[in-house]
Amino acid sequence: MNPLGEFFAQTAMSGALLLAIPVAAVAGLVSFLSPCVLPLAPGFLGYVSGMTSTNAPDRRKVVLGTVLFILGFSLVFIAYGAAFGAIGAWLTQWQDLLIRILGGVVIVMGIAMLGAIPILQRTAKPTWKPRLGLAGAPLLGLVFGLGWTPCIGPTLSAVVALSLTGGSSVRGAVLGLAYCIGLGLPFLALALGWQSATSAIAALRRHVRLINTIGGAILITLGILMISGLWGSLIRAVQGLIGSFAVIL
């Protein structure tokens, strides 16, 4: 295997990454279900498809606009992951301390998600809006990624923490991608089932408190694992398990 291929193979099979990817994906899903994203989802989909009160929705345009919208915010969140991963590479000599400090941050964000720290759930929404329709869909995705970051910060903080402790911009970008998959798939599911989207949103909103409680509990649990050192032990255990397998050619 060439050096570049070996690097990506090691990255993909890293114990840290195998454990962190599902956490990042769940964080993205919880972000979608948050009170500052879920109620606005139909509006986003209508905007990126160019739908107005005077025209009927075109399902193909809704789906295409949604894909472009997802690509727009994915650029933002993948860049976040890569940037924090690169910073983490400079801090590897203090990795154990860094993991414990970030564990405390994740716990605070979990508590904020439970509604105990309202200031950490505020949203700074830009006033500028891109052009209505498909042409503006990726730009609206960028605006969403930048403007809604304060509101989805509690769940995004888990991805940032895992990117920092990974010590690699590539791993950080992969975690950013996993987060975007968790956040983007519900948007795409709503676009595919556009006719029933409103009722689906209403059903989810009735359980938003439970969803936030579960999401906050996940973050607090992750933070406790990081502070206690159990997260590092889990990573080493998975790495040992991976190392015990032999590749048969």
Side-chain angles (χ1 to χ4, degrees), residues 156-170:
L156 187 60
S157 67
V159 180
V160 169
L162 295 174
S163 298
L164 272 170
T165 57
S168 164
S169 58
V170 173

Side-chain angles (χ1 to χ4, degrees), residues 99-100 102-104 106-107 217-231:
I99 289 175
R100 295 176 191 275
L102 290 173
V106 171
I107 288 175
I218 291 172
L219 292 183
I220 292 171
T221 301
L222 175 61
I224 291 172
L225 289 174
M226 295 172 74
I227 289 178
S228 66
L230 289 175
W231 180 254

